[in-house]
């Protein structure tokens, strides 16, 4: 995550045609195992996931403004 300059990351797994959030990691809180459907998880922006899913492109974080 640090190499990507990300503060948060999530592991999504496709199960029976639906995306499931299996784990969420953050710089401050470490890794949390959750195993919940993406549609019910409030921590992960669904619009961002759908954008990546349809474009198949990596989203890079914006540079922080000092």
């Amino acid at each position: 995550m640090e190499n990507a300059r990300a503060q948060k990351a999530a592991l999504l797994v496709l199960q029976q045609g639906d995306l499931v959030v299996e784990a969420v990691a953050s710089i401050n809180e470490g890794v949390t195992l959750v195993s919940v459907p993406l549609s019910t998880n409030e921590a992960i922006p669904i619009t961002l996931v759908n954008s990546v899913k349809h474009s198949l492109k990596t989203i890079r974080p914006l540079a922080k403004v000092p």
Side-chain angles (χ1 to χ4, degrees), residues 3-42:
N3 289 343
R5 298 182 312 181
Q7 297 296 311
K8 185 183 275 189
L11 172 64
L12 303 177
V13 177
L14 188 61
Q15 293 181 357
Q16 299 175 344
D18 294 320
L19 285 172
V20 176
V21 181
E22 291 294 338
V24 177
S26 74
I27 299 271
N28 299 327
E29 298 174 18
V31 177
T32 304
L33 302 177
V34 289
S35 195
V36 296
L38 176 63
S39 60
T40 63
N41 186 301
E42 296 178 4

Side-chain angles (χ1 to χ4, degrees), residues 1 11 15-16 46 48 51 59 64:
M1 286 185 344
L11 172 64
Q15 293 181 357
Q16 299 175 344
I46 293 175
L48 178 62
S51 175
I59 302 282
K64 290 184 181 179

Side-chain angles (χ1 to χ4, degrees), residues 47-59:
T47 54
L48 178 62
V49 173
N50 285 335
S51 175
V52 172
K53 181 179 170 183
H54 294 294
S55 71
L56 300 177
K57 293 184 179 180
T58 302
I59 302 282

